[in-house]
Amino acid sequence: MASQGANKGTALVIGGSISGMLSAKVLSEHFDLVVILEKDAAPDELSSTSGELFRKGLPQAAHQHLLLLKGRQLFEEFFPGFDAELERYGAPLVNYSEDVSLFIGEGKLPRFESGLDLRVCRRPLIDRVVTERIESIENIERRYACQVSGFILNNDNSRVTGLRYQQGSISAEKTLRADLVVDCSGRGSRTRTWLKKEGLSEVSGTHVNPKLGYASQLFEVRPGQQVKPIEVAPHAPTSPRA
Ligand SMILES: Cc1cc2nc3c(=O)[nH]c(=O)nc-3n(C[C@H](O)[C@H](O)[C@H](O)COP(=O)(O)OP(=O)(O)OC[C@H]3O[C@@H](n4cnc5c(N)ncnc54)[C@H](O)[C@@H]3O)c2cc1C
C-alpha cells in the first residue's frame, strides 16, 4: 500500500472521524488530492442544535470527552489556535489531579497540581473544530454516505491501487483509483478481510482489549453552583468499571 515515488497523485482515506481527518491533513501536504470516504451521512444533515457535529459513527457523542494532554498538544501542532477555539466555544480547562474529584477503590485521592491540563467538552465539538479546519484545505475532498466495500489490487496483487465503495442507498459498486490508501475506519476495520478476499494470505494483527467500561449521567446544575468533574471507580483495581 506504500506510495511509490514522491508526493503526487491521489490518496484515499477510509473513515472521516478523528484519525481520518488528521491523516488527510498530513497527506494533503504530499498529494495533489486527498479524498475522505465516510460511511455516515454528512453531519450537517443530522441534528446539530448546538453547533456540535453529531454522526451515527460517534456513539460516544453524548458522553463527556476529556481531550488528554498529548492529544491537545498534537491538535495544536496540526491546527494552530485549535485550543483557543475550543475555549471560545466554552470548553473548560481542567487540571486532572487538582480539579477532578477522583474516588478510586477505597477512597478519595489527594488533590495536587500536576500540569495535566485537559480540555473537557463533548466529542462532536472537537469534530466540528477539526472539520472546519479540514474544510479550509483546498485539496481535501470529503465524501459522506460512502461505504468502502473492498480494495482493488494491481495484476500481481503487490499493490492496492484503488477502492470499491457504495454511495447512499445505491447498491451498485463504484470505484476510485488511488496512489495510497490509508485505513482509518477504526475498530471495525475490514482491511484484513478485504486483503484475504483478494487472495492474499492472512495478515497478522494485534488485538488490544482494554476491558474497560463506564457509564455517564447528566446532572442538573443549580445557578451559582461550582461544578467540577467527579470520577468514581469504586472497585478498582479488581473491577475495571467506572
Ligand atoms: C464511549 C467512548 C468514550 C471515549 N472517550 C474518550 C475521551 O474522553 N478522550 C479521548 O481522547 N478518547 C476517548 N474515546 C476514544 C476515541 O473516541 C477514539 O480513540 C477515536 O474516536 C478513534 O478515532 P478513529 O478515527 O481512529 O476511529 P473512529 O472514531 O471509530 O472512526 C472510524 C470512522 O470510520 C467510519 N467507517 C467505518 N467503516 C467504514 C467503511 N467501510 N467505509 C467508510 N467509512 C467507514 C466510521 O463511520 C467512523 O466515522 C472514547 C471512545 C468511546 C467509545
Side-chain angles (χ1 to χ4, degrees), residues 42 105 198 236:
E198 297 301 326

Side-chain angles (χ1 to χ4, degrees), residues 66 96 100-104 107 118 228-234 242:
L66 283 177
Y96 196 67
V100 182
S101 293
L102 285 161
F103 296 86
I104 308 249
L118 322 177
K228 297 280 182 181
I230 301 170
E231 206 174 298
V232 186

Side-chain angles (χ1 to χ4, degrees), residues 16-17 19 58 87 178 210 229:
S17 187
S19 60
L58 270 187
E87 188 175 24

Side-chain angles (χ1 to χ4, degrees), residues 171-182:
S171 59
E173 260 186 353
K174 294 185 172 191
T175 58
L176 271 178
R177 198 200 64 77
D179 296 286
L180 180 76
V181 172
V182 179

Side-chain angles (χ1 to χ4, degrees), residues 196-207:
K196 207 169 165 192
K197 209 171 139 194
E198 297 301 326
L200 290 159
S201 52
E202 186 82 49
V203 180
S204 64
T206 308
H207 185 211

Side-chain angles (χ1 to χ4, degrees), residues 15 17-19 37-39 55 60 65-66 123 148 214:
S17 187
I18 284 299
S19 60
L37 297 162
E38 167 54 51
K39 70 178 160 96
R55 279 189 303 113
Q60 69 271 45
H65 200 83
L66 283 177
R123 169 63 194 270
V148 176
Y214 69 82

Side-chain angles (χ1 to χ4, degrees), residues 16 37-48 52-57 131 135 142-146 167-168:
L37 297 162
E38 167 54 51
K39 70 178 160 96
D40 282 348
D44 52 4
E45 289 169 19
L46 307 174
S47 74
S48 182
E52 297 165 304
L53 293 184
F54 287 91
R55 279 189 303 113
K56 199 173 154 212
T131 302
E135 272 170 354
R142 290 173 308 136
R143 296 194 193 176
Y144 286 98
C146 289
Q167 194 161 19

